[in-house]
Amino acid sequence: MSEEGKSKKENRVAEFFAGIAGFFKGFGEACAGGDAAVKVSLVVAGAGYFARKQIVKGILVTLLEIAVILYQVLIGFPYIGQLGNLGEVQRAQVYNPETMKNEVNDYDNSLLILLFGVISLSLLAVAIILWMANVKNTYRIQKLAQEGKHINTFREDLSSMLNDKFHFTLLALPVLGIIIFNVMPLIVMVCIAFTNYDQNHMPPAMLFTWTGLKNFRSLFETSLTMTFGYTFRKILVWTLLWALLATATTYFGGIILALLINNKATKLKKMWRTLFVAAISVPQFVTLLLMRNFFANAGIMNTVCEKIGLTGLLQNLGWINTNYIPFLTDPTWAKITIIVINIWVGIPYLMLIATGVLMNIPEELKESARIDGANAFQIFRKITMPYMFFITGPYLVTQFTANINNFNVIYLLTQDIYTTTNQKMSASFGKEIDLLVTWLYRLTSEQYNYKMASVIGICVFIVCALFTLLAFNFLIKGDKEETFR
Amino acid sequence: MRAKKTITSILIHAVLAIMAVVWLVPIVWLIVTSFSGFDGMNTSRFFPETWSMRNYTRILFQSDTVSQFPVWFKNTFIIAIFTCLISTSFVLMVSYAMSCMRFKGRKALMNAAVMLQLFPGFLSMIAIYFILKAVNLTNSHFGMILVYSGGAGLGYLVAKGFFDTIPTSLREAAYLEGASEARTFFTIVLPLSRPIIVYTVISSFLVPWTDFVFAKIILNSGISTDWTVAIGLYNMLQRQLLPNYFSRFCAGGVLVGIPIGILFIIMQKFYVEGITGGSVKG
């Protein structure tokens, strides 16, 4: 990276912290310089607005304040208080002398404590920031009033939400949705990586608690009883190899197919394109489940291979020692089959994209190259490919991370069919053909080993984040946002 | 020279024909098996020995404990409609804000969105399951709609890329005429964005039909009338059910595959524009 770029980046970090410092400074100024109404608004949030005759706004803000306080006192604080140890009272049957029966005691549920504790804590942080921003805002209005400037009425405030503050209106619901369905769950899952939440510590019957970095250590450990380290290494290597192969094969395959279809000599271009698109337009779960039965040990592909003598040939070569080809049941064969099937799934998509890009390569470029005496291959290598890379670079990066997370292909092709014979792998519930994400899924849905699953999830994030950062810093430069306006 | 050209042409067509056959074999197998008179999987021959419409009549009109296709279809359809409405509006709203408006924290929000998408989806899925369970929304279609559309705002990049190509001058003219930001959004930008709206509508409509994992995690009660098409059909291929249900699975696959296929083919040209992010100058 150039010096200029570096200093620009540092500037941005500095700006960020300066922004935070400015926020607190503004709050301090508001507290010091505010009049009585601003000071009262430290307690009653709407006070500052009431003083400037912004009655509706004042009532709304105060109601919101009351709601937040009520929630925190009644629900939030009890949960936040228990976050420290995630609950103490285990569920048990207690004899109740009044009813003369065994009853379930008032037990703690660690999961609910973690869930609502984290949510309430985040809500508390947001509430404090809003409270400070509100005090600052009332101080701003006080200044406006002192300078004799116009203060917005409620109606004007509303209409500004459709005008210069329209982005608030637009973003409010989507961002709320993202916070509830992406951010909060992620925080909770990251927290679970630091607990002992597994099969032996399942709420509501049992409690779980914080264990620090123990799970991360056991991910790299291999002993007689613990084989997570071994399995993790193996699966990580396969995941990266898979992502590389899957991305590269479909990328170049797609480009070649697009070149074939768009060749000047090709007739009925549209028909060919539609044929390949038809293949991927059927939902993946249908085609993948079909493929898995197509390539089953007693499936139709094996019948065909036997008829044409391929099975016998492979037996003679010593490549297989069964009387069928173990397309999806032998580690090596399964890996090859999965990659081949993924080529089938992926190439039409890439063909579509490559077609779009190819049609937009300026014809003059190719023409002048031809006049200079370049042959077809040289044009492909020197003009078509660089152009292709330039346009599809970002897509290639996202495609690589998408393949690291490619759950469908692996799971639908091998679930219930592939069993591992590797003792060390099966001891940690992994299989040779598992990606990190399918291993993660199996750990949760079959073993209830949530702690290790979230550790693996964090590892997937680290791998994807590292790769994306490197790729975007070194391969793809520049912001194309406003180039074509 | 001429002969060479003919040979290239023949070669290209031969390669394309072979590839097309390879790509169509599974689809053809799906269709012919759905008309098979045999319930299980025929492993010795590609085309069925006897032909019949039985699989279709049974899957459409004779539901049993395993096969509830009409109910699954209805469930998925309802979920898809609502998901489509919510997701499309979320995506368009976020895209407009990110593309056409300049405000404090815009870049920061965009960077945060990139970071969020690097986490594997399942990781948050497990916690979403717990959250939905705490408010009693697992095994409900409302819960599924929330799961599919809640985080939809994150998928704004494609639509933003499209909005980025709409000339700023059009919007500036509207502001000069005194139009508010909201009015500009509804009367200037949206009418110009038909292709990207079609793309967003179709792609979000397809999510519940093609998703398998999330539905399996959230709708885990084992009551088959709650399921979506994907889990229902997946369930038919359990080892003990496969001999009786394989050809019905194929019929079901054809029945969902055809409408989805048509939608996908409509969408494909927008798909390309979407991926190349409007950076391809038309």
Side-chain angles (χ1 to χ4, degrees):
Chain A
M1 206 185 291
S2 66
E3 276 301 307
E4 205 177 308
K6 224 176 227 169
S7 67
K8 209 171 169 189
K9 208 159 219 181
E10 273 162 21
N11 269 344
R12 221 178 286 154
V13 175
E15 251 170 52
F16 177 72
F17 284 106
I20 293 179
F23 182 78
F24 281 97
K25 206 175 139 210
F27 177 69
E29 274 170 15
C31 289
D35 61 2
V38 173
K39 290 209 166 92
V40 175
S41 77
L42 281 169
V43 186
V44 183
Y49 303 118
F50 289 133
R52 321 285 169 223
K53 301 207 173 56
Q54 291 183 315
I55 306 295
V56 184
K57 201 173 172 187
I59 292 175
L60 286 179
V61 170
T62 314
L63 280 180
L64 182 69
E65 187 195 9
I66 293 172
V68 169
I69 291 174
L70 271 181
Y71 167 81
Q72 290 295 6
V73 169
L74 292 179
I75 306 171
F77 288 131
Y79 278 120
I80 294 175
Q82 286 177 301
L83 261 186
N85 54 8
L86 297 174
E88 283 164 342
V89 189
Q90 193 165 326
R91 186 182 159 118
Q93 299 283 337
V94 181
Y95 181 71
N96 184 341
E98 275 173 40
T99 56
M100 315 253 282
K101 275 182 192 154
N102 275 339
E103 285 176 357
V104 177
N105 61 345
D106 185 19
Y107 63 94
D108 289 335
N109 185 329
S110 303
L111 185 61
L112 287 184
I113 292 172
L114 183 64
L115 216 59
F116 285 103
V118 167
I119 292 173
S120 306
L121 206 58
S122 323
L123 205 64
L124 189 65
V126 172
I128 289 175
I129 293 171
L130 281 182
W131 170 73
M132 287 168 68
N134 181 57
V135 172
K136 270 177 65 179
N137 197 28
T138 46
Y139 180 56
R140 189 179 59 87
I141 295 173
Q142 176 201 330
K143 270 197 194 155
L144 282 181
Q146 281 166 353
E147 289 161 17
K149 282 185 185 151
H150 174 70
I151 297 173
N152 276 357
T153 62
F154 185 62
R155 192 179 292 273
E156 284 166 337
D157 271 335
L158 275 187
S159 80
S160 87
M161 290 309 268
L162 291 179
N163 210 352
D164 55 322
K165 284 188 182 143
F166 191 44
H167 57 274
F168 276 112
T169 321
L170 286 177
L171 290 176
L173 276 178
V175 169
L176 188 70
I178 291 168
I179 288 175
I180 296 175
F181 287 97
N182 285 81
V183 180
M184 282 296 142
L186 276 179
I187 297 177
V188 170
M189 281 321 280
V190 169
C191 288
I192 286 178
F194 299 93
T195 68
N196 59 355
Y197 183 12
D198 59 18
Q199 207 166 9
N200 302 322
H201 300 87
M202 288 274 285
M206 304 293 271
L207 296 168
F208 64 82
T209 187
W210 302 106
T211 52
L213 289 170
K214 196 165 154 257
N215 301 327
F216 289 88
R217 240 173 279 138
S218 61
L219 188 63
F220 297 102
E221 227 173 324
T222 310
S223 63
L224 275 181
T225 48
M226 289 288 296
T227 56
F228 272 101
Y230 171 82
T231 314
F232 176 67
R233 258 199 320 279
K234 282 233 152 185
I235 292 184
L236 180 66
V237 169
W238 163 235
T239 305
L240 292 175
L241 184 70
W242 148 264
L244 192 71
L245 284 175
T247 314
T249 50
T250 51
Y251 187 71
F252 291 110
I255 292 175
I256 290 170
L257 181 59
L259 283 174
L260 282 179
I261 292 180
N262 292 308
N263 194 300
K264 276 195 191 115
T266 311
K267 301 270 179 326
L268 299 170
K269 292 190 170 70
K270 203 158 187 187
M271 179 204 80
W272 293 113
R273 217 172 292 148
T274 316
L275 277 184
F276 287 99
V277 171
I280 49 165
S281 58
V282 176
Q284 252 184 35
F285 73 90
V286 175
T287 43
L288 289 175
L289 287 173
L290 263 185
M291 292 279 209
R292 139 175 148 183
N293 287 297
F294 200 79
F295 286 99
N297 287 344
I300 194 160
M301 194 64 193
N302 261 310
T303 317
V304 172
C305 286
E306 205 176 327
K307 268 187 193 149
I308 61 170
L310 191 64
T311 315
L313 181 72
L314 290 174
Q315 274 171 331
N316 290 340
L317 283 172
W319 288 12
I320 50 172
N321 44 20
T322 42
N323 51 7
Y324 53 83
I325 303 176
F327 283 114
L328 287 167
T329 47
D330 172 85
T332 319
W333 277 100
K335 282 178 184 174
I336 296 169
T337 315
I338 289 169
I339 287 177
V340 169
I341 294 179
N342 186 66
I343 292 176
W344 186 92
V345 171
I347 278 187
Y349 288 100
L350 256 304
M351 181 270 291
L352 278 178
I353 294 165
T355 306
V357 180
L358 286 177
M359 286 203 234
N360 283 289
I361 297 181
E363 201 52 44
E364 310 92 82
L365 268 180
K366 287 200 218 166
E367 204 49 56
S368 57
R370 223 168 276 138
I371 291 168
D372 288 345
N375 62 26
F377 181 73
Q378 280 170 324
I379 292 177
F380 174 73
R381 218 172 60 94
K382 295 281 182 196
I383 296 175
T384 312
M385 275 325 283
Y387 192 83
M388 200 71 202
F389 270 128
F390 173 72
I391 303 278
T392 55
Y395 174 73
L396 211 51
V397 176
T398 49
Q399 197 57 26
F400 185 84
T401 53
N403 272 323
I404 288 181
N405 289 313
N406 198 333
F407 178 88
N408 265 1
V409 170
I410 305 281
Y411 185 85
L412 290 174
L413 283 177
T414 61
Q415 178 67 0
D416 301 330
I417 288 198
Y418 187 93
T419 43
T420 179
T421 49
N422 185 329
Q423 295 282 332
K424 279 183 175 171
M425 281 245 171
S426 60
S428 43
F429 319 107
K431 296 175 184 175
E432 285 90 344
I433 38 80
D434 264 338
L435 300 182
L436 286 172
V437 280
T438 52
W439 188 30
L440 184 164
Y441 179 75
R442 216 188 300 282
L443 278 175
T444 56
S445 71
E446 288 166 18
Q447 303 301 326
Y448 305 103
N449 194 339
Y450 294 105
K451 55 173 192 185
M452 290 315 285
S454 28
V455 172
I456 295 166
I458 293 173
C459 290
V460 174
F461 167 74
I462 292 172
V463 170
C464 293
L466 272 182
F467 177 78
T468 313
L469 268 180
L470 286 178
F472 274 99
N473 267 334
F474 291 109
L475 297 177
I476 303 146
K477 290 180 194 116
D479 188 356
K480 288 191 279 187
E481 198 176 22
E482 286 174 9
T483 318
F484 292 104
R485 280 236 165 114
Chain B
M1 195 65 192
R2 208 196 193 125
K4 199 184 158 200
K5 246 184 190 163
T6 339
I7 293 172
T8 341
S9 164
I10 292 173
L11 259 178
I12 287 177
H13 284 95
V15 173
L16 278 177
I18 293 170
M19 285 180 85
V21 168
V22 170
W23 255 262
L24 288 178
V25 160
I27 309 299
V28 173
W29 195 48
L30 175 76
I31 295 170
V32 296
T33 313
S34 74
F35 288 107
S36 164
F38 175 63
D39 283 348
M41 181 171 56
N42 194 336
T43 55
S44 54
R45 34 188 297 154
F46 187 83
F47 290 100
E49 273 159 284
T50 49
W51 300 82
S52 104
M53 289 292 292
R54 209 161 55 115
N55 299 315
Y56 287 95
T57 53
R58 276 191 305 183
I59 202 163
L60 284 175
F61 306 114
Q62 296 161 23
S63 296
D64 54 33
T65 46
V66 176
S67 154
Q68 296 274 356
F69 190 78
V71 183
W72 300 334
F73 199 91
K74 193 190 84 198
N75 291 345
T76 321
F77 193 75
I78 294 170
I79 295 174
I81 291 283
F82 283 99
T83 306
C84 173
L85 285 176
I86 302 176
S87 299
T88 309
S89 18
F90 276 16
V91 167
L92 293 177
M93 282 152 79
V94 175
S95 314
Y96 183 82
M98 293 303 183
S99 169
C100 302
M101 300 188 69
R102 292 290 176 271
F103 52 91
K104 234 168 97 182
R106 189 182 72 103
K107 276 269 151 76
L109 277 177
M110 279 163 60
N111 289 339
V114 172
M115 286 290 285
L116 270 179
Q117 280 176 321
L118 292 176
F119 280 99
F122 311 114
L123 195 60
S124 51
M125 207 55 214
I126 300 161
I128 291 177
Y129 172 74
F130 293 142
I131 293 176
L132 288 181
K133 206 171 163 193
V135 289
N136 216 355
L137 275 178
T138 49
N139 291 309
S140 85
H141 297 151
F142 182 58
M144 284 313 301
I145 295 169
L146 287 181
V147 168
Y148 287 136
S149 52
L154 275 182
Y156 70 94
L157 270 178
V158 173
K160 177 186 176 291
F162 186 90
F163 286 160
D164 281 345
T165 61
I166 295 176
T168 327
S169 54
L170 281 178
R171 279 186 290 115
E172 270 160 6
Y175 301 143
L176 282 180
E177 303 265 315
S180 68
E181 196 73 53
R183 221 183 136 78
T184 318
F185 175 53
F186 285 114
T187 59
I188 308 284
V189 175
L190 278 191
L192 283 174
S193 315
R194 235 177 54 128
I196 206 66
I197 295 176
V198 174
Y199 171 81
T200 320
V201 165
I202 297 181
S203 58
S204 56
F205 183 80
L206 289 184
V207 169
W209 297 95
T210 50
D211 165 66
F212 165 80
V213 206
F214 292 169
K216 198 155 184 277
I217 296 176
I218 304 293
L219 304 174
N220 66 347
S221 67
I223 301 166
S224 60
T225 46
D226 281 351
W227 289 346
T228 61
V229 171
I231 342 176
L233 289 180
Y234 176 81
N235 186 56
M236 280 187 178
L237 291 190
Q238 279 180 32
R239 197 163 296 166
Q240 60 274 33
L241 295 178
L242 189 128
N244 292 322
Y245 286 95
F246 187 77
S247 56
R248 256 180 278 180
F249 164 85
C250 291
V254 170
L255 286 177
V256 284
I258 288 171
I260 291 178
I262 293 169
L263 284 180
F264 189 86
I265 290 173
I266 298 174
M267 192 181 71
Q268 52 148 318
K269 71 168 196 253
F270 306 121
Y271 178 80
V272 177
E273 283 167 21
I275 293 298
T276 45
S279 49
V280 179
K281 229 171 169 181

